[in-house]
């Protein structure tokens, strides 16, 4: 088949793959689509720098380990010449392989010593790359527990199977209704697996977790690692606040305090690529708001407004007491705005990924009435501004919502 006419390429160019983006948040390990000739068609989760800049023969081409397996149709898990765990799963319509899902590119626990056997001198000579860059790219290669590798393998299988069904549907190889039901079944199964994993993780007593973090913080203090100490205390407080799953309203002051800790951690991560400012009037801080309403909006601003920009960006959080009964909290970033498609989906109440716009908006309306909630007040090339509008007098119950006139 001519590579240009490959239905997999057409599927990617039509951006149908975006509907898989929701489950990609389950992992931060390399995952990409590659055709049968070794051309990387799309990086769903980018590979590490060592693979993309050192191992790949040229930009957009998979390394020779992948190339040899593509030529011999060898599928499944494998270890490359540098000792990295990899995966290659076929995307098929009937018996015709149109491409592959590849990725992983990490060391398993117990094999990380292989990092030190990589011949940097030869790579420097062959690739004409700086020693320092090669050394840093090797040092940043991840080391995973086998359990996490298993979860990522399930994710890769899920993506490969669903893309195969999409392709089969696009060329009328299967009944579209049957294909869609199969996809929904797999998505539900994946959610169940994720929920089970989360429930298992809750076996650890939260008090034990916080006490352990505080102990580590004290050790950091005595070792004069003050930045580490501060980060651990921030993380401990952040976890404690996030675990408050009750339906009680919290003060805006406590919500903002939580946001400051979250942004402090992100600032350490992004360094000078992230700037932020919080300006909340004192008279506003005593009013009440559901917990964990502001943080997801701020996180969205970092993901889409800061992390995707080479130079980073800034986030500005401020509030206005519009009148005696209404407070509006604004979260503004200087990114590139929401994509038009996402804006249209939000307007049509059809956007369920990323920001969690619908659920947060609905939650606010249950507390304050139908006149309140989330609103995107600005979104263009200069950035986005999301407004959180609340009432100074929350409703007693969600059932009162319909009785409030805007």
């Amino acid at each position: 088949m001519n590579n240009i006419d490959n239905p997999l390429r057409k599927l990617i160019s039509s951006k149908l793959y975006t509907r898989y983006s929701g489950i990609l948040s389950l992992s931060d390990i390399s995952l990409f689509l590659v055709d049968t000739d070794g051309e990387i068609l799309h990086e769903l989760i980018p590979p590490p720098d060592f693979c993309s800049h050192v191992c790949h023969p040229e930009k957009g081409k998979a390394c020779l380990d992948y190339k040899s397996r593509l030529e011999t149709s060898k599928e499944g898990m494998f270890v490359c010449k540098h000792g990295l765990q990899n995966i290659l799963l076929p995307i098929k319509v009937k018996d015709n392989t149109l491409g592959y899902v590849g990725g992983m590119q990490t060391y398993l626990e117990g094999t990380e010593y292989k990092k030190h056997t990589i011949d940097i001198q030869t790579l420097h000579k062959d690739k004409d790359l700086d020693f320092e860059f090669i050394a840093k790219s090797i040092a940043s290669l991840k080391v995973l527990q086998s359990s996490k590798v298993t979860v990522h393998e399930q994710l890769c299988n899920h993506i490969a199977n669903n893309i195969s069904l999409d392709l089969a549907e696009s060329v009328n190889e299967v009944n579209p209704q049957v294909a869609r039901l199969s996809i929904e079944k797999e998505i539900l199964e994946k959610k169940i697996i994720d929920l089970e994993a989360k429930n298992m993780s809750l076996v650890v007593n939260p008090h034990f977790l916080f006490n352990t973090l505080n102990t580590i913080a004290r050790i950091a203090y005595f070792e004069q690692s003050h930045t580490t100490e501060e980060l651990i205390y921030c993380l401990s407080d952040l976890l404690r606040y996030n675990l408050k799953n009750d339906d009680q309203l919290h003060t805006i002051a406590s919500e903002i305090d939580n946001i400051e800790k979250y942004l402090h951690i992100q600032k350490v991560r992004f360094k000078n690529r992230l700037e932020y400012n919080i300006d909340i009037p004192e008279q506003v801080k005593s009013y009440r708001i559901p917990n964990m309403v502001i943080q997801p909006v701020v996180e969205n601003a970092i993901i889409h407004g800061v992390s995707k920009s080479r130079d980073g960006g800034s986030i500005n959080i401020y509030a206005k007491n519009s009148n005696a009964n209404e407070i509006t909290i604004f979260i503004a970033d200087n990114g590139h705005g929401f994509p038009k498609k996402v804006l249209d989906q939000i307007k049509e109440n059809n956007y369920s990924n990323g920001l969690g716009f619908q659920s947060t908006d609905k939650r606010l309306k249950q507390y304050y009435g139908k006149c309140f909630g989330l609103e995107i007040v600005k979104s263009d090339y200069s950035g986005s501004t999301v407004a959180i509008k609340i009432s100074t007098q929350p409703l007693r119950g969600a059932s009162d919502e319909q009785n409030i006139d805007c």
Side-chain angles (χ1 to χ4, degrees):
M1 177 184 295
N2 189 321
N3 208 14
I4 297 176
D5 298 326
N6 189 332
L8 179 59
R9 185 182 292 275
K10 292 179 180 178
L11 177 72
I12 293 170
S13 64
S14 67
K15 300 194 175 180
L16 290 177
Y17 65 83
T18 53
R19 73 182 190 83
Y20 305 118
S21 61
I23 63 167
L24 293 175
S25 60
L26 296 173
S27 182
D28 60 352
I29 310 166
S30 169
L31 197 159
F32 54 86
L33 305 182
V34 59
D35 68 13
T36 53
D37 293 326
E39 181 180 349
I40 297 175
L41 301 176
H42 185 74
E43 295 177 351
L44 293 165
I45 303 176
D49 285 344
F50 178 75
C51 296
S52 58
H53 294 289
V54 180
C55 289
H56 291 182
E58 57 182 283
K59 187 176 181 180
K61 290 285 187 180
C63 72
L64 296 180
D65 287 283
Y66 275 91
K67 184 73 172 173
S68 64
R69 298 185 76 85
L70 292 171
E71 291 171 352
T72 55
S73 300
K74 289 184 179 178
E75 302 159 1
M77 303 281 279
F78 69 96
V79 177
C80 74
K81 65 181 180 181
H82 296 299
L84 292 164
Q85 191 73 35
N86 287 263
I87 192 167
L88 191 66
L89 299 172
I91 297 170
K92 291 185 175 182
V93 175
K94 285 194 172 179
D95 296 326
N96 187 19
T97 300
L98 302 178
Y100 294 84
V101 169
M104 203 81 73
Q105 299 173 317
T106 63
Y107 287 106
L108 287 175
E109 277 189 341
T111 67
E112 60 266 34
Y113 69 90
K114 294 181 181 179
K115 285 185 180 184
H116 308 298
T117 66
I118 297 175
D119 189 346
I120 299 179
Q121 179 71 39
T122 300
L123 290 174
H124 166 70
K125 191 181 300 180
D126 293 344
K127 296 289 183 177
D128 193 27
L129 292 171
D130 290 339
F131 278 110
E132 185 179 2
F133 175 81
I134 297 173
K136 284 183 177 179
S137 67
I138 292 172
S140 65
L141 289 169
K142 294 183 178 179
V143 180
L144 297 183
Q145 296 176 336
S146 58
S147 58
K148 191 165 185 179
V149 169
T150 300
V151 171
H152 192 72
E153 183 181 7
Q154 291 175 339
L155 178 61
C156 292
N157 268 301
H158 176 80
I159 296 288
N161 291 337
N162 278 281
I163 292 179
S164 295
L165 285 170
D166 266 344
L167 289 171
E169 180 181 332
S170 69
V171 296
N172 298 317
E173 291 289 348
V174 298
N175 183 299
Q177 213 169 9
V178 173
R180 190 57 54 202
L181 286 172
S182 298
I183 291 170
E184 296 304 325
K185 176 178 176 289
E186 283 211 31
I187 290 174
L188 286 172
E189 288 173 348
K190 185 62 189 174
K191 286 183 177 178
I192 290 169
I193 291 170
D194 186 41
L195 284 172
E196 287 176 347
K198 288 180 179 178
N199 286 335
M200 286 175 64
S201 69
L202 291 178
V203 172
V204 179
N205 189 314
H207 294 292
F208 168 78
L209 176 62
F210 297 136
N211 290 338
T212 302
L213 285 171
N214 288 335
T215 300
I216 296 170
R218 296 310 297 165
I219 292 171
Y221 170 78
F222 287 118
E223 292 179 348
Q224 297 186 351
S225 303
H226 300 305
T227 301
T228 303
E229 177 195 12
E230 190 174 7
L231 274 175
I232 292 170
Y233 279 133
C234 281
L235 178 59
S236 179
D237 290 344
L238 197 65
L239 288 170
R240 186 177 285 106
Y241 187 87
N242 288 5
L243 285 172
K244 290 181 180 178
N245 292 323
D246 54 52
D247 292 326
Q248 299 298 315
L249 294 173
H250 299 256
T251 63
I252 291 176
S254 65
E255 182 79 353
I256 291 299
D257 181 62
N258 184 60
I259 293 300
E260 287 179 333
K261 290 181 172 67
Y262 171 77
L263 285 171
H264 176 76
I265 293 172
Q266 293 287 23
K267 175 69 175 174
V268 173
R269 174 191 171 194
F270 286 100
K271 298 183 174 60
N272 60 351
R273 293 185 62 238
L274 171 64
E275 298 296 334
Y276 65 88
N277 180 61
I278 300 176
D279 184 16
I280 305 295
E282 286 299 323
Q283 64 268 26
V284 167
K285 291 182 177 181
S286 60
Y287 290 106
R288 296 188 171 270
I289 190 171
N291 73 318
M292 294 301 293
V293 164
I294 302 176
Q295 192 266 341
V297 183
V298 174
E299 183 175 5
N300 182 76
I302 289 176
I303 292 171
H304 299 290
V306 176
S307 65
K308 290 188 176 181
S309 173
R310 182 181 296 275
D311 298 323
S314 62
I315 293 174
N316 189 23
I317 303 171
Y318 57 100
K320 291 182 180 178
N321 203 166
S322 305
N323 54 56
N325 298 318
E326 183 181 304
I327 295 169
T328 306
I329 301 170
F330 297 92
I331 296 92
D333 66 70
N334 63 347
H336 303 296
F338 289 89
K340 184 180 183 302
K341 183 178 179 181
V342 172
L343 281 174
D344 292 340
Q345 288 176 332
I346 290 174
K347 290 176 183 176
E348 296 168 5
N349 291 323
N350 192 33
Y351 185 65
S352 58
N353 293 327
L355 176 61
F357 199 95
Q358 283 179 283
S359 59
T360 305
D361 183 59
K362 183 177 180 181
R363 191 173 170 217
L364 288 166
K365 283 177 167 56
Q366 287 177 335
Y367 279 107
Y368 302 109
K370 64 182 180 181
C371 304
F372 302 92
L374 287 185
E375 180 186 359
I376 297 176
V377 296
K378 175 200 167 188
S379 180
D380 55 33
Y381 65 91
S382 63
S384 299
T385 301
V386 176
I388 302 173
K389 188 191 296 185
I390 66 173
S391 170
T392 57
Q393 300 174 338
L395 300 174
R396 289 186 178 272
S399 59
D400 297 330
E401 176 184 331
Q402 302 302 322
N403 300 325
I404 303 296
D405 293 326
C406 297

